[in-house]
Amino acid sequence: MRTRTVLASSILLVFTLILTTPGRAAAQSAAGDLVRLPVSFLPAAAPAPDGIAAIAAAADLPAPARPDLHATFASIDAAPPASVIQARPVVVEYSDAYRTRAKIHRYASFATLPLFAAEAFVGQSLYNNPTPGKRDAHLAIAGAMGGLFAVNTVTGVWNLVEARKDPNGRTRRMAHGLLMLAADAGFLATAALGPGHEREFGEGGEGGSRSAHRAMAFTSISLATVGYLVMLIGGK
């Protein structure tokens, strides 16, 4: 009886070892495999692209080149070319006397063209059919023109000298002044060439003196008219 018990226990022990050995072997094999696994390291993550590069990569476009900061700061520090530098506007202050003379000059000049038209009409009529009344009217208009040009020459030249440093409108002012001074000289020559007495205006007068007087008068009127229009049309 005791022998059968020992035999049964031995058989049970053998079956237990048979059933448990494969699982243990598998566990040991798995543990050995884990031990024998090669150690590997994942690659370092690439830096995240910036916003513009990410958009370019998503749209399958070439990434924009990064600016060269050294070149940028060097270009900022460099002096701009001479063509870029603009001259500062020149500020010129005018006196109250300048404004007063300019106002007198402007208001007096309103009579310029009417006097020219009247003198040309009366002078041509006197040239064709001289009478004492036409001669007196011609001389009166000539005297008014002389007074007008005397006032405008003084005020104009004075203001031209004061405005010499102002670059704005300098060419226009100079052209106006030179034309008016030339007309002044022409009117003086016209008066010098005028007939000395009434009979010289008639058919028996000195034709050369009358013609020269008339030609110089119209030349002076033309110069003064151009100078007047230069300032009238040109602006201030």
Side-chain angles (χ1 to χ4, degrees), residues 28-152:
Q28 291 177 353
S29 176
D33 292 339
L34 289 176
V35 173
R36 290 192 298 271
L37 282 177
V39 179
S40 61
F41 298 94
L42 295 176
D50 56 14
I52 298 177
I55 295 173
D60 196 15
L61 296 174
R66 296 184 178 275
D68 187 353
L69 297 181
H70 295 288
T72 302
F73 287 114
S75 63
I76 294 175
D77 294 336
S83 59
V84 178
I85 299 175
Q86 297 180 354
R88 294 182 179 179
V90 178
V91 179
V92 179
E93 295 184 1
Y94 290 100
S95 63
D96 292 336
Y98 176 93
R99 297 182 178 86
T100 301
R101 290 190 299 267
K103 187 178 295 185
I104 294 172
H105 188 91
R106 186 181 303 111
Y107 289 157
S109 65
F110 291 155
T112 302
L113 296 184
L115 284 175
F116 285 171
E119 183 71 334
F121 176 79
V122 174
Q124 184 63 38
S125 179
L126 180 63
Y127 185 86
N128 296 331
N129 184 22
T131 62
K134 293 178 182 178
R135 183 176 183 273
D136 292 340
H138 178 73
L139 293 176
I141 297 173
M145 287 175 57
L148 169 66
F149 271 78
V151 171
N152 275 5

